[in-house]
Coordinates of all heavy atoms in Angstrom, one line a residue:
M1 N 87.6 113.0 95.1 CA 88.0 114.3 95.6 C 89.5 114.6 95.3 O 89.8 115.6 94.7 CB 87.9 114.3 97.2 CG 88.2 115.6 97.8 SD 87.1 117.0 97.3 CE 87.7 118.3 98.3
L2 N 90.3 113.6 95.5 CA 91.8 113.7 95.2 C 91.9 113.9 93.7 O 92.8 114.7 93.2 CB 92.6 112.5 95.6 CG 93.2 112.5 97.0 CD1 93.9 111.2 97.2 CD2 94.2 113.7 97.0
K3 N 91.2 113.1 92.9 CA 91.2 113.1 91.5 C 90.8 114.5 90.9 O 91.5 115.1 90.1 CB 90.3 112.0 90.9 CG 90.3 111.9 89.4 CD 89.4 110.7 88.9 CE 89.7 110.3 87.5 NZ 89.4 111.3 86.5
Y4 N 89.7 115.0 91.5 CA 89.3 116.4 91.1 C 90.3 117.4 91.4 O 90.6 118.3 90.5 CB 88.0 116.6 91.8 CG 87.5 118.0 91.8 CD1 86.9 118.6 90.7 CD2 87.7 118.8 93.0 CE1 86.5 119.9 90.8 CE2 87.3 120.1 93.0 CZ 86.6 120.7 91.9 OH 86.3 122.0 91.9
K5 N 90.9 117.4 92.6 CA 91.9 118.4 93.0 C 93.1 118.3 92.1 O 93.6 119.3 91.7 CB 92.3 118.2 94.5 CG 91.2 118.5 95.5 CD 90.9 120.0 95.6 CE 91.8 120.6 96.6 NZ 91.4 122.0 96.8
A6 N 93.5 117.1 91.8 CA 94.7 116.9 91.0 C 94.5 117.5 89.6 O 95.3 118.3 89.0 CB 95.1 115.5 90.9
E7 N 93.3 117.1 89.0 CA 93.0 117.6 87.6 C 92.8 119.1 87.6 O 93.2 119.7 86.6 CB 91.8 116.9 87.2 CG 92.1 115.4 86.8 CD 90.9 114.6 86.5 OE1 89.7 115.1 86.6 OE2 91.1 113.4 86.1
Q8 N 92.3 119.7 88.6 CA 92.1 121.1 88.7 C 93.5 121.9 88.6 O 93.6 122.9 88.1 CB 91.4 121.5 90.1 CG 90.8 122.8 90.1 CD 90.0 123.0 91.4 OE1 90.5 122.5 92.5 NE2 88.9 123.6 91.4
E9 N 94.5 121.2 89.2 CA 95.9 121.8 89.2 C 96.7 121.3 88.0 O 97.9 121.5 87.9 CB 96.6 121.4 90.5 CG 96.0 122.1 91.7 CD 96.7 121.9 93.0 OE1 98.0 121.7 92.9 OE2 96.1 121.9 94.0
G10 N 96.1 120.6 87.1 CA 96.8 120.2 85.9 C 97.7 119.0 86.1 O 98.6 118.7 85.4
K11 N 97.4 118.3 87.2 CA 98.2 117.1 87.6 C 97.4 115.8 87.2 O 96.3 115.9 86.9 CB 98.5 117.1 89.1 CG 99.5 118.2 89.4 CD 99.7 118.4 90.9 CE 100.6 119.5 91.2 NZ 100.7 119.9 92.6
V12 N 98.1 114.7 87.2 CA 97.5 113.4 86.8 C 97.3 112.6 88.1 O 98.1 112.5 88.9 CB 98.5 112.7 85.8 CG1 97.9 111.3 85.5 CG2 98.6 113.5 84.6
Y13 N 96.0 112.0 88.2 CA 95.7 111.2 89.3 C 95.7 109.7 88.8 O 95.1 109.4 87.8 CB 94.3 111.5 89.8 CG 93.7 110.7 90.8 CD1 94.0 110.8 92.2 CD2 92.9 109.6 90.4 CE1 93.4 110.0 93.1 CE2 92.4 108.7 91.4 CZ 92.7 108.9 92.7 OH 92.1 108.1 93.7
L14 N 96.5 108.9 89.5 CA 96.5 107.5 89.1 C 96.3 106.6 90.3 O 96.6 107.0 91.5 CB 98.0 107.1 88.6 CG 98.4 107.8 87.3 CD1 99.9 107.5 87.2 CD2 97.7 107.2 86.2
E15 N 95.6 105.5 90.1 CA 95.3 104.6 91.2 C 96.1 103.3 90.9 O 96.4 102.9 89.8 CB 93.8 104.2 91.3 CG 93.0 105.3 91.8 CD 91.5 104.8 92.0 OE1 91.2 103.7 91.8 OE2 90.7 105.7 92.3
V16 N 96.6 102.7 92.0 CA 97.3 101.4 91.9 C 96.4 100.3 92.5 O 95.6 100.7 93.4 CB 98.7 101.3 92.5 CG1 99.6 102.4 91.8 CG2 98.7 101.5 93.9
D17 N 96.5 99.1 92.1 CA 95.7 98.0 92.6 C 95.9 97.9 94.1 O 97.0 98.0 94.7 CB 96.2 96.7 92.0 CG 95.3 95.5 92.3 OD1 94.9 95.3 93.5 OD2 94.9 94.8 91.3
R18 N 94.8 97.9 94.9 CA 94.8 97.9 96.4 C 95.6 96.6 96.9 O 96.0 96.7 98.0 CB 93.4 98.0 96.9 CG 92.5 96.8 96.7 CD 91.2 97.0 97.3 NE 91.3 97.0 98.8 CZ 90.3 96.7 99.6 NH1 89.2 96.3 99.0 NH2 90.5 96.7 100.9
W19 N 95.7 95.6 96.1 CA 96.4 94.4 96.5 C 97.8 94.4 96.1 O 98.5 93.4 96.3 CB 95.6 93.1 96.0 CG 94.3 93.1 96.4 CD1 93.1 93.2 95.7 CD2 93.8 92.9 97.8 NE1 92.0 93.1 96.4 CE2 92.3 93.0 97.8 CE3 94.4 92.8 99.0 CZ2 91.6 92.9 98.9 CZ3 93.6 92.7 100.2 CH2 92.2 92.7 100.1
F20 N 98.3 95.4 95.4 CA 99.7 95.5 95.1 C 100.5 95.5 96.3 O 100.4 96.3 97.2 CB 99.9 96.8 94.2 CG 101.3 97.1 93.9 CD1 102.1 96.2 93.2 CD2 102.0 98.3 94.4 CE1 103.4 96.4 92.9 CE2 103.3 98.5 94.1 CZ 104.0 97.6 93.3
A21 N 101.5 94.6 96.3 CA 102.3 94.4 97.5 C 103.4 95.4 97.6 O 104.6 95.1 97.5 CB 102.9 93.0 97.5
S22 N 103.0 96.7 97.9 CA 104.0 97.8 97.9 C 105.1 97.7 99.0 O 106.2 98.0 98.8 CB 103.3 99.1 98.0 OG 102.5 99.1 99.1
S23 N 104.6 97.1 100.2 CA 105.6 97.0 101.3 C 106.5 95.8 101.2 O 107.7 95.9 101.5 CB 104.8 96.9 102.6 OG 104.1 98.1 102.9
K24 N 106.0 94.7 100.6 CA 106.7 93.5 100.5 C 107.6 93.3 99.3 O 108.3 92.3 99.1 CB 105.8 92.3 100.7 CG 105.0 92.3 101.9 CD 104.3 91.0 102.2 CE 103.2 90.7 101.1 NZ 102.5 89.4 101.4
T25 N 107.6 94.3 98.4 CA 108.3 94.2 97.1 C 109.6 95.0 97.2 O 109.5 96.2 97.6 CB 107.4 94.7 95.9 OG1 106.3 93.9 95.8 CG2 108.2 94.5 94.6
C26 N 110.7 94.5 96.9 CA 112.0 95.2 96.9 C 111.9 96.2 95.7 O 111.8 95.7 94.6 CB 113.2 94.3 96.8 SG 114.7 95.1 96.5
N27 N 112.1 97.5 95.9 CA 112.0 98.4 94.8 C 113.3 98.3 93.9 O 113.2 98.9 92.8 CB 111.7 99.9 95.3 CG 113.0 100.5 95.8 OD1 114.0 100.8 95.1 ND2 113.0 100.7 97.2
V28 N 114.3 97.6 94.3 CA 115.5 97.5 93.5 C 115.4 96.3 92.5 O 115.6 96.4 91.3 CB 116.7 97.4 94.4 CG1 118.0 97.2 93.6 CG2 116.9 98.7 95.2
C29 N 115.1 95.1 93.1 CA 115.1 93.9 92.2 C 113.7 93.3 92.0 O 113.6 92.3 91.3 CB 116.1 92.9 92.8 SG 115.5 92.1 94.3
L30 N 112.7 93.9 92.7 CA 111.3 93.4 92.5 C 111.0 92.1 93.2 O 110.0 91.5 92.9 CB 110.8 93.5 91.1 CG 111.0 94.8 90.4 CD1 110.4 94.8 89.0 CD2 110.2 96.0 91.2
N31 N 112.0 91.6 94.0 CA 111.8 90.4 94.8 C 110.6 90.6 95.8 O 110.5 91.7 96.3 CB 113.0 90.1 95.5 CG 112.9 88.9 96.4 OD1 112.3 87.9 96.1 ND2 113.4 88.9 97.6
V32 N 109.7 89.7 95.9 CA 108.6 89.9 96.9 C 108.8 88.9 98.1 O 108.9 87.7 97.8 CB 107.2 89.6 96.2 CG1 106.1 89.8 97.2 CG2 107.0 90.5 95.0
V33 N 108.9 89.5 99.3 CA 109.1 88.6 100.5 C 107.7 88.0 100.9 O 106.7 88.6 100.6 CB 109.7 89.4 101.6 CG1 111.1 89.9 101.3 CG2 108.8 90.6 102.0
G34 N 107.8 86.9 101.5 CA 106.6 86.2 101.9 C 105.7 86.8 102.8 O 104.5 87.0 102.6
S35 N 106.3 87.3 103.9 CA 105.4 88.1 104.8 C 106.2 89.1 105.5 O 107.5 89.0 105.7 CB 104.8 87.1 105.9 OG 105.9 86.6 106.7
L36 N 105.5 90.2 106.0 CA 106.2 91.3 106.6 C 105.2 91.9 107.6 O 104.4 92.7 107.2 CB 106.6 92.3 105.6 CG 107.8 93.3 105.8 CD1 109.1 92.5 106.0 CD2 107.9 94.3 104.6
S37 N 105.3 91.5 108.9 CA 104.3 92.0 109.8 C 104.4 93.4 110.0 O 105.5 94.0 109.8 CB 104.4 91.2 111.1 OG 105.6 91.4 111.7
L38 N 103.4 94.1 110.4 CA 103.3 95.5 110.5 C 104.3 96.2 111.5 O 104.7 97.3 111.3 CB 101.9 96.0 110.9 CG 100.9 96.1 109.8 CD1 99.6 96.4 110.3 CD2 101.3 97.2 108.7
D39 N 104.8 95.4 112.4 CA 105.8 95.9 113.4 C 107.2 96.0 112.8 O 108.1 96.5 113.4 CB 105.8 95.1 114.7 CG 106.1 93.7 114.5 OD1 105.6 93.1 113.4 OD2 106.8 93.1 115.3
I40 N 107.4 95.4 111.6 CA 108.7 95.4 111.0 C 108.8 96.7 110.1 O 108.1 96.8 109.1 CB 109.0 94.1 110.1 CG1 108.9 92.9 111.0 CG2 110.3 94.2 109.4 CD1 109.0 91.6 110.2
R41 N 109.6 97.6 110.6 CA 109.7 98.9 110.0 C 110.9 99.0 109.0 O 110.9 99.9 108.2 CB 109.9 100.0 111.0 CG 108.9 100.1 112.1 CD 107.4 100.0 111.6 NE 107.1 101.0 110.7 CZ 106.0 100.9 109.9 NH1 105.1 100.0 110.0 NH2 105.8 101.9 109.0
A42 N 111.8 98.0 109.0 CA 112.9 98.0 108.0 C 113.2 96.6 107.8 O 113.1 95.7 108.7 CB 114.1 98.7 108.6
W43 N 113.7 96.3 106.6 CA 114.1 94.9 106.2 C 115.1 94.9 105.1 O 115.3 95.9 104.5 CB 112.8 94.1 105.8 CG 112.1 94.7 104.6 CD1 111.2 95.8 104.7 CD2 112.1 94.3 103.3 NE1 110.7 96.0 103.4 CE2 111.2 95.1 102.5 CE3 112.8 93.3 102.6 CZ2 111.1 95.0 101.2 CZ3 112.6 93.1 101.2 CH2 111.7 94.0 100.6
T44 N 115.8 93.8 105.0 CA 116.8 93.7 104.0 C 116.4 92.6 103.0 O 116.0 91.5 103.3 CB 118.2 93.2 104.7 OG1 118.5 94.2 105.6 CG2 119.3 93.1 103.6
C45 N 116.5 92.9 101.7 CA 116.1 92.0 100.7 C 117.1 90.9 100.6 O 118.2 91.0 100.5 CB 116.1 92.8 99.3 SG 115.7 91.7 97.9
E46 N 116.5 89.6 100.6 CA 117.3 88.5 100.6 C 118.0 88.2 99.3 O 119.0 87.5 99.2 CB 116.5 87.2 101.0 CG 115.3 87.0 100.1 CD 114.2 86.1 100.8 OE1 114.3 85.9 102.0 OE2 113.3 85.7 100.0
R47 N 117.4 88.8 98.2 CA 118.0 88.6 96.9 C 119.1 89.6 96.6 O 120.2 89.2 96.1 CB 116.9 88.7 95.8 CG 117.4 88.2 94.4 CD 116.6 88.6 93.3 NE 115.3 87.8 93.1 CZ 114.4 88.1 92.3 NH1 114.4 89.2 91.5 NH2 113.4 87.3 92.2
C48 N 118.9 90.9 96.7 CA 119.9 91.9 96.3 C 120.6 92.6 97.5 O 121.4 93.4 97.3 CB 119.3 92.9 95.4 SG 118.2 94.1 96.3
N49 N 120.1 92.2 98.7 CA 120.8 92.6 99.9 C 120.6 94.1 100.2 O 121.3 94.7 101.0 CB 122.3 92.3 99.9 CG 122.8 91.9 101.3 OD1 122.1 91.3 102.1 ND2 124.1 92.2 101.5
T50 N 119.6 94.8 99.6 CA 119.4 96.2 99.9 C 118.6 96.3 101.1 O 117.7 95.5 101.4 CB 118.6 96.8 98.7 OG1 119.2 96.6 97.5 CG2 118.3 98.3 98.9
H51 N 119.0 97.3 102.0 CA 118.3 97.5 103.2 C 117.2 98.5 103.0 O 117.5 99.6 102.4 CB 119.3 97.9 104.3 CG 118.6 98.0 105.7 ND1 118.2 96.9 106.3 CD2 118.3 99.0 106.5 CE1 117.6 97.2 107.5 NE2 117.7 98.5 107.6
H52 N 115.9 98.3 103.4 CA 114.8 99.1 103.1 C 114.2 99.7 104.3 O 114.0 98.9 105.3 CB 113.7 98.4 102.4 CG 114.1 97.9 101.0 ND1 114.4 98.8 100.0 CD2 114.3 96.7 100.5 CE1 114.7 98.1 98.9 NE2 114.7 96.8 99.2
D53 N 113.9 101.0 104.3 CA 112.9 101.5 105.2 C 111.5 101.1 104.7 O 111.2 101.3 103.5 CB 113.0 103.1 105.3 CG 111.9 103.7 106.2 OD1 110.8 103.8 105.7 OD2 112.2 104.0 107.3
R54 N 110.7 100.5 105.5 CA 109.4 100.0 105.0 C 108.6 101.0 104.2 O 108.1 100.7 103.1 CB 108.6 99.5 106.2 CG 107.3 98.8 105.8 CD 106.4 98.7 106.9 NE 105.2 97.9 106.6 CZ 105.0 96.7 106.8 NH1 105.8 96.0 107.5 NH2 103.9 96.1 106.4
D55 N 108.4 102.2 104.8 CA 107.5 103.2 104.2 C 108.1 103.8 102.9 O 107.4 104.1 101.9 CB 107.1 104.3 105.2 CG 106.4 103.7 106.4 OD1 105.7 102.7 106.2 OD2 106.4 104.3 107.5
I56 N 109.4 104.1 103.0 CA 110.1 104.7 101.8 C 110.1 103.7 100.6 O 109.7 104.1 99.5 CB 111.5 105.1 102.2 CG1 111.4 106.3 103.1 CG2 112.3 105.5 100.9 CD1 112.8 106.8 103.7
N57 N 110.4 102.4 101.0 CA 110.3 101.4 99.9 C 108.9 101.3 99.3 O 108.7 101.2 98.1 CB 110.7 100.0 100.5 CG 110.6 98.9 99.5 OD1 111.3 98.9 98.5 ND2 109.7 98.0 99.8
A58 N 107.9 101.3 100.2 CA 106.5 101.2 99.7 C 106.2 102.4 98.8 O 105.5 102.3 97.8 CB 105.5 101.1 100.9
S59 N 106.6 103.6 99.2 CA 106.2 104.8 98.4 C 106.9 104.8 97.0 O 106.3 105.2 96.1 CB 106.5 106.1 99.2 OG 108.0 106.2 99.4
I60 N 108.1 104.3 97.0 CA 108.8 104.2 95.7 C 108.1 103.2 94.8 O 107.9 103.4 93.6 CB 110.3 103.8 95.9 CG1 111.1 104.9 96.6 CG2 111.0 103.4 94.6 CD1 112.5 104.5 97.1
N61 N 107.7 102.0 95.4 CA 106.9 101.1 94.6 C 105.6 101.5 94.1 O 105.2 101.3 93.0 CB 106.7 99.8 95.5 CG 107.9 98.9 95.6 OD1 108.7 98.9 94.6 ND2 108.1 98.3 96.7
I62 N 104.9 102.4 94.9 CA 103.6 102.9 94.5 C 103.8 103.9 93.3 O 103.1 103.9 92.3 CB 102.9 103.5 95.6 CG1 102.4 102.4 96.6 CG2 101.7 104.4 95.2 CD1 101.9 102.9 98.0
R63 N 104.9 104.7 93.4 CA 105.2 105.7 92.3 C 105.5 104.9 91.1 O 105.0 105.2 90.0 CB 106.4 106.6 92.7 CG 106.8 107.5 91.6 CD 108.2 108.0 91.8 NE 109.2 106.9 91.8 CZ 110.4 107.0 92.0 NH1 110.9 108.2 92.4 NH2 111.3 106.0 91.9
D64 N 106.4 103.9 91.2 CA 106.8 103.1 90.0 C 105.7 102.3 89.4 O 105.5 102.3 88.2 CB 108.0 102.2 90.4 CG 109.2 102.9 90.7 OD1 109.3 104.1 90.5 OD2 110.2 102.3 91.1
E65 N 104.8 101.8 90.2 CA 103.7 101.0 89.7 C 102.7 102.0 89.0 O 102.2 101.7 87.9 CB 102.9 100.4 90.9 CG 101.7 99.6 90.5 CD 101.9 98.3 89.8 OE1 103.1 98.0 89.5 OE2 100.9 97.6 89.4
G66 N 102.5 103.2 89.5 CA 101.7 104.2 88.8 C 102.3 104.5 87.5 O 101.6 104.6 86.5
L67 N 103.6 104.7 87.4 CA 104.3 105.1 86.2 C 104.2 103.9 85.1 O 104.1 104.1 83.9 CB 105.7 105.5 86.4 CG 105.9 106.9 87.1 CD1 107.3 107.1 87.4 CD2 105.3 108.0 86.3
R68 N 104.3 102.7 85.7 CA 104.2 101.5 84.8 C 102.8 101.4 84.1 O 102.7 101.0 83.0 CB 104.4 100.2 85.6 CG 105.9 99.8 85.6 CD 106.1 98.3 86.1 NE 105.7 98.2 87.5 CZ 106.6 98.4 88.5 NH1 107.9 98.8 88.2 NH2 106.2 98.3 89.8
N69 N 101.8 101.8 84.9 CA 100.4 101.7 84.4 C 100.0 103.0 83.7 O 98.8 103.1 83.3 CB 99.4 101.4 85.5 CG 99.8 100.1 86.1 OD1 100.2 99.1 85.5 ND2 99.5 99.9 87.4
Y70 N 100.8 104.0 83.6 CA 100.5 105.3 83.0 C 100.1 105.2 81.6 O 100.9 104.6 80.8 CB 101.6 106.3 83.3 CG 101.1 107.7 82.9 CD1 100.3 108.4 83.6 CD2 101.6 108.3 81.7 CE1 99.9 109.7 83.3 CE2 101.2 109.5 81.3 CZ 100.4 110.2 82.1 OH 99.9 111.4 81.7
P71 N 99.1 105.8 81.1 CA 98.7 105.7 79.7 C 99.6 106.7 78.9 O 99.1 107.7 78.4 CB 97.2 106.2 79.7 CG 97.1 107.1 80.9 CD 98.0 106.5 81.9
W72 N 100.8 106.3 78.6 CA 101.8 107.2 77.9 C 101.3 107.5 76.5 O 101.5 108.6 76.0 CB 103.1 106.5 77.8 CG 103.7 106.2 79.1 CD1 103.7 105.1 79.8 CD2 104.4 107.2 80.0 NE1 104.3 105.3 81.0 CE2 104.8 106.6 81.2 CE3 104.7 108.6 79.8 CZ2 105.5 107.2 82.2 CZ3 105.4 109.2 80.8 CH2 105.7 108.5 82.0
E73 N 100.5 106.6 75.9 CA 100.0 106.8 74.5 C 99.1 108.0 74.4 O 98.9 108.6 73.4 CB 99.3 105.6 74.0 CG 98.0 105.2 74.7 CD 98.2 104.3 76.0 OE1 99.4 104.2 76.4 OE2 97.3 103.8 76.5
A74 N 98.6 108.5 75.6 CA 97.7 109.7 75.6 C 98.6 110.9 75.3 O 98.0 112.0 75.0 CB 97.0 109.8 76.9
G75 N 99.9 110.8 75.5 CA 100.7 111.9 75.1 C 100.9 113.1 76.1 O 101.2 114.1 75.8
I76 N 100.3 112.8 77.3 CA 100.4 113.8 78.4 C 101.5 113.4 79.4 O 101.5 112.2 79.8 CB 99.1 113.9 79.1 CG1 97.9 114.2 78.2 CG2 99.1 115.0 80.2 CD1 96.5 113.8 78.7
L77 N 102.4 114.3 79.8 CA 103.4 113.9 80.7 C 102.8 113.9 82.1 O 102.0 114.8 82.5 CB 104.5 114.9 80.7 CG 105.4 114.9 79.4 CD1 106.5 116.0 79.3 CD2 106.0 113.5 79.2
P78 N 103.2 112.9 82.9 CA 102.6 112.9 84.3 C 103.0 114.0 85.2 O 102.2 114.3 86.1 CB 103.0 111.5 84.8 CG 104.3 111.2 84.0 CD 104.0 111.8 82.7
V79 N 104.1 114.6 85.0 CA 104.5 115.6 85.9 C 104.8 116.9 85.0 O 105.6 116.9 84.1 CB 105.8 115.3 86.6 CG1 106.2 116.5 87.5 CG2 105.6 114.1 87.5
E80 N 104.0 117.9 85.2 CA 104.2 119.1 84.4 C 104.4 120.3 85.3 O 103.6 120.6 86.2 CB 102.9 119.3 83.6 CG 103.2 119.9 82.2 CD 102.0 119.8 81.4 OE1 101.1 120.6 81.4 OE2 101.9 118.8 80.6
G81 N 105.4 121.1 85.1 CA 105.7 122.2 86.0 C 106.1 121.8 87.4 O 107.0 121.0 87.5
K82 N 105.4 122.1 88.4 CA 105.8 121.9 89.8 C 105.4 120.4 90.2 O 104.5 119.8 89.7 CB 105.1 122.9 90.7 CG 103.6 122.9 90.6 CD 103.1 124.1 91.4 CE 101.6 124.3 91.0 NZ 101.0 125.5 91.1
Ligands
ZN1 ZN1 116.1 93.2 96.2

């Protein structure tokens, strides 16, 4: 459904691996923390000392992971227009 709606609007639909550790990975230095229980809403990376909002960090990681896996060789830009 999402894929169909995106393509209808000329947008690109990408999936990331469901096991990708989006919450536990620091979006700055890519350090992965051992565990992060669901009640922890913010954390500080022990490697680069960046303070993260859990959800914002996860959303940045999901975007970046999608762009890393994007089939650039197809010659289509992932964001066109709006
Ligand atoms: Zn870090």
Side-chain angles (χ1 to χ4, degrees):
M1 185 66 178
L2 266 178
K3 185 175 194 297
Y4 164 78
K5 292 288 270 183
E7 286 170 355
Q8 200 176 37
E9 293 184 29
K11 294 174 181 168
V12 176
Y13 173 86
L14 294 170
E15 286 183 7
V16 299
D17 191 310
R18 62 179 297 205
W19 301 113
F20 173 61
S22 58
S23 295
K24 298 193 296 184
T25 302
C26 169
N27 76 68
V28 176
C29 74
L30 304 182
N31 178 42
V32 180
V33 295
S35 68
L36 204 63
S37 63
L38 278 172
D39 59 321
I40 298 175
R41 306 312 305 167
W43 57 282
T44 300
C45 175
E46 60 200 12
R47 191 198 279 171
C48 73
N49 218 29
T50 304
H51 189 66
H52 296 294
D53 173 282
R54 183 195 186 101
D55 296 335
I56 292 172
N57 177 62
S59 63
I60 291 170
N61 280 328
I62 290 167
R63 177 200 64 188
D64 289 353
E65 178 72 0
L67 291 174
R68 270 193 290 276
N69 297 330
Y70 186 75
W72 297 100
E73 65 276 9
I76 307 161
L77 291 176
V79 179
E80 213 167 87
K82 54 192 174 211

